[in-house]
Amino acid sequence: MSYSETIRKIYLDQIDQIKNAGIFKEERFIHSSQAADIEVEFPAGSSLKKVINMCANNYLGLSSHPDVVKAAHEGLDTRGYGMSSVRFICGTQDIHRELENRMTQFLGTEDTILFPSCMDANAGVFEAVLSDQDVMISDRLVHASIIDGIRLCSAMHDTFKHSNMEHLESKLQLHADKRFKMVITDGVFSMDGDTAKLDEMAELCNKYGAMLFVDDSHATGFIGKTGRGTHEKCGVLGNVDIITTTFGKALGGASGGCVSGRKELVEMCRQKARPYLFSNTIAPVVVSGVLKVLEILSESTERRDKLENNTKHWRKGLTEAGFVLKEGDTPIVPVMLFNAKLSQDFSKDLYNEGIYAIGFFFPVVPNGQSRIRTQISAGHEIHHLDKALEAFVKIGKKYGILGLAKQEIIEKYGL
Amino acid sequence: MEEIKDVVLNYVIEEYLEEDDEEITYDTPLISGGIVDSFSMVSLKRFLENEYSISIPDEKATPEAFDSVNKIVALVREFTG
């Protein structure tokens, strides 16, 4: 027998170590469609509990929108369930190219290529467009998928301190001898909810002849006046060379992603990016749903406007109640607790109060930076937010942290 | 002339530490201690090469060799003679 008891024990020991370190991840089973109000089975086997979802990436509340669901049904009826092929063999339908064109138009770029996910887009893009003569200079807080993509690429890699433009400039000078320099950042950072300084970055890239790469997964559809993304907010539409983004968050939340940007770079991905070449095409039903989402967004900014108002209401409520928040204006609103155990206890208490929000701690965020990450949606109504706030205040009082500054919370609970 | 170890220590502080971080010494584990991401080592290698006009082969630039200021100084001395 190849899978011996010795091998089994080694894995069981590793799983125990994860449990003992307090970082064992458990899934919660949701029995309803994704929305502000959901029904959850947790722990497994327990009866269903109705809770308000405060941790979905469903920023525009479109995951279960009736028009999107209807369009997906129509896609299923007219284009079938699966394509049983990668794109370049026999997996490209007219609607795949239509979605690429619509994304190009929406993002204000030159061309777009779809990937099975944004994780795949980030995993494939760097290797496809850079070589060992080049350098990638990334913000130290970029998403894990970018780090994986960087690891797969033969170009030199360096980092700059989070959003520190002086440090970035020093790195552009240090690597002046490289053929191509690519500056890499998230548009909105997923754990902190802050926004990259794309205007300053674009200026530096221009000064030092570098390309600019942005992963706008937590921005596409709602950041900027018309929801184009961080590049719209920062006034640099057309100045970002590569944008990667996802359809798995605001744009319907199903799956899929893309690389959008300079025509030649997109073409290089079509020729060389391995997750594009060796993974299945996006299912027609998903493509049909995303096309409907883009239609909805092009008709009105109502949903992103509502999201903006909801975010302001939520931030104001938490601030007035005396919580320490990460500063920002995006729908990612981290409530800082600093201590890992406190973040877990707080999350459990919230769940008992009917509020679903997760505590994050090391290694997902730096040590001593534990938090509850809340995410606001256009699918929330004010009564959802007010009920959630009531629960936050009740539990905040229980732990005696309301009105305390960062240092005071740390003194009380430790890091 | 400033001692190599102070030059390296200052560079590590400037390059890798954030405002809230604790102070480090010449023997603080940098990579195994999570202060320097092995990913970010390239700037340290390039800095040393520029500062001391040396070339450190990739096989010598290991996470172990870069794991403390004292170890980095020993590595630099190998090449400066």
Side-chain angles (χ1 to χ4, degrees):
Chain A
M1 190 171 68
S2 54
Y3 193 73
S4 67
E5 284 308 306
T6 314
I7 294 174
R8 187 189 301 277
K9 185 163 186 324
I10 289 169
Y11 284 115
L12 286 173
D13 286 348
Q14 286 182 15
I15 293 165
D16 277 344
Q17 279 171 24
I18 295 170
K19 284 181 178 166
N20 293 337
I23 52 175
F24 188 77
K25 288 170 279 300
E26 279 179 279
E27 292 168 347
R28 303 182 187 199
F29 306 138
I30 298 171
H31 288 243
S32 50
S33 53
Q34 187 63 281
D37 295 299
I38 52 173
E39 290 188 341
V40 183
E41 173 196 339
F42 183 74
S46 59
S47 56
L48 297 188
K49 187 175 171 67
K50 287 186 178 177
V51 294
I52 296 173
N53 193 350
M54 298 295 289
C55 55
N57 297 317
N58 184 18
Y59 297 113
L60 291 171
L62 290 170
S63 302
S64 309
H65 189 285
D67 292 350
V68 178
V69 173
K70 185 164 173 271
H73 272 296
E74 283 166 8
L76 186 63
D77 291 339
T78 58
R79 298 299 196 289
Y81 172 67
M83 286 302 290
S84 306
S85 173
V86 298
R87 281 289 297 276
F88 78 96
I89 296 180
C90 57
T92 301
Q93 291 173 316
D94 56 337
I95 53 172
H96 290 92
R97 191 56 195 153
E98 187 187 344
L99 179 55
E100 288 175 340
N101 289 335
R102 291 285 295 280
M103 284 305 291
T104 301
Q105 200 182 8
F106 187 75
L107 297 172
T109 53
E110 294 174 8
D111 201 358
T112 298
I113 174 175
L114 305 181
F115 279 77
S117 68
C118 190
M119 170 94 202
D120 280 328
N122 287 339
V125 60
F126 302 111
E127 190 190 23
V129 303
L130 299 174
S131 77
D132 58 6
Q133 303 169 68
D134 310 321
V135 65
M136 304 170 281
I137 307 173
S138 65
D139 187 288
R140 285 191 184 156
L141 292 188
V142 291
H143 190 260
S145 57
I146 291 180
I147 293 174
D148 284 358
I150 286 171
R151 284 187 203 281
L152 291 168
C153 177
S154 61
M156 180 182 273
H157 176 238
D158 201 353
T159 58
F160 62 97
K161 291 182 184 181
H162 178 51
S163 275
N164 185 324
M165 294 300 108
E166 279 178 26
H167 201 221
L168 169 60
E169 183 161 19
S170 74
K171 293 304 174 84
L172 286 164
Q173 290 164 347
L174 178 69
H175 300 296
D177 57 331
K178 290 293 177 183
R179 183 187 65 158
F180 295 148
K181 296 171 282 294
M182 185 176 283
V183 174
I184 300 166
T185 184
D186 289 3
V188 170
F189 289 86
S190 58
M191 281 299 143
D192 288 1
D194 58 329
T195 309
K197 298 169 185 165
L198 284 193
D199 45 350
E200 293 178 52
M201 294 174 101
E203 208 170 297
L204 282 174
C205 285
N206 196 30
K207 183 173 172 186
Y208 291 96
M211 288 186 271
L212 182 55
F213 171 105
V214 180
D215 177 340
D216 232 8
S217 290
H218 286 276
T220 303
F222 56 96
I223 296 289
K225 278 260 177 278
T226 61
R228 262 56 180 173
T230 316
H231 57 319
E232 181 183 34
K233 181 181 182 178
C234 296
V236 291
L237 271 170
N239 288 342
V240 178
D241 302 295
I242 298 178
I243 296 170
T244 59
T245 193
T246 181
F247 309 132
K249 294 184 167 61
L251 303 187
S255 65
C258 67
V259 169
S260 192
R262 303 293 177 200
K263 210 171 183 51
E264 302 72 26
L265 301 180
V266 170
E267 190 56 47
M268 287 299 283
C269 287
R270 223 175 273 285
Q271 301 307 316
K272 289 180 67 183
R274 294 169 71 83
Y276 167 84
L277 294 172
F278 298 109
S279 189
N280 235 28
T281 189
I282 303 182
V285 64
V286 174
V287 175
S288 304
V290 182
L291 280 168
K292 176 53 76 175
V293 166
L294 291 174
E295 193 184 311
I296 293 171
L297 298 189
S298 65
E299 282 166 2
S300 153
T301 59
E302 190 186 331
R303 301 192 81 83
R304 58 90 46 214
D305 297 344
K306 182 178 176 193
L307 175 61
E308 193 170 88
N309 288 334
N310 279 353
T311 301
K312 281 180 187 161
H313 183 81
W314 181 241
R315 278 190 176 274
K316 185 167 175 277
L318 287 171
T319 306
E320 284 174 2
F323 285 101
V324 178
L325 306 183
K326 279 270 179 189
E327 277 182 32
D329 57 3
T330 71
I332 299 172
V333 186
V335 180
M336 300 306 293
L337 299 171
F338 308 103
N339 176 282
K341 185 171 183 304
L342 179 60
S343 72
Q344 294 311 290
D345 293 344
F346 206 107
S347 170
K348 274 181 206 147
D349 289 349
L350 280 173
Y351 189 75
N352 290 335
E353 294 291 328
I355 308 300
Y356 188 175
I358 298 291
F360 287 92
F361 50 97
F362 184 80
V364 179
V365 295
N367 225 342
Q369 292 272 312
S370 301
R371 67 196 64 183
I372 303 281
R373 182 181 69 169
T374 59
Q375 289 169 286
I376 303 307
S377 167
H380 286 130
E381 300 299 335
I382 293 297
H383 69 82
H384 290 118
L385 302 177
D386 287 347
K387 185 172 176 214
L389 184 62
E390 206 177 293
F392 266 85
V393 169
K394 181 175 173 186
I395 299 159
K397 275 183 189 156
K398 174 183 167 183
Y399 291 105
I401 57 163
L402 295 182
L404 295 191
K406 173 184 174 181
Q407 211 46 47
E408 291 169 320
I409 299 175
I410 292 170
E411 274 166 26
K412 193 165 177 149
Y413 287 96
L415 281 178
Chain B
M1 190 177 132
E2 200 180 359
E3 283 244 30
I4 297 179
K5 64 181 185 179
D6 290 323
V7 173
V8 174
L9 183 74
N10 287 334
Y11 180 80
V12 169
I13 291 169
E14 283 287 312
E15 174 69 20
Y16 300 110
L17 266 56
E18 301 290 343
E19 277 174 28
D20 289 351
D21 289 336
E22 287 172 17
E23 286 182 16
I24 60 164
T25 69
Y26 301 119
D27 288 312
T28 303
L30 299 176
I31 292 169
S32 60
I35 293 169
V36 179
D37 178 356
S38 60
F39 234 43
S40 308
M41 261 175 49
V42 64
S43 56
L44 182 52
K45 179 173 179 283
R46 289 210 113 191
F47 166 76
L48 297 170
E49 289 179 332
N50 289 345
E51 185 78 12
Y52 299 106
S53 306
I54 56 175
S55 175
I56 304 172
D58 285 344
E59 62 271 21
K60 288 272 186 182
T62 60
E64 294 76 29
F66 278 75
D67 205 29
S68 72
V69 170
N70 276 335
K71 285 179 183 169
I72 294 165
V73 172
L75 182 71
V76 171
R77 290 222 165 101
E78 250 185 69
F79 295 95
T80 51

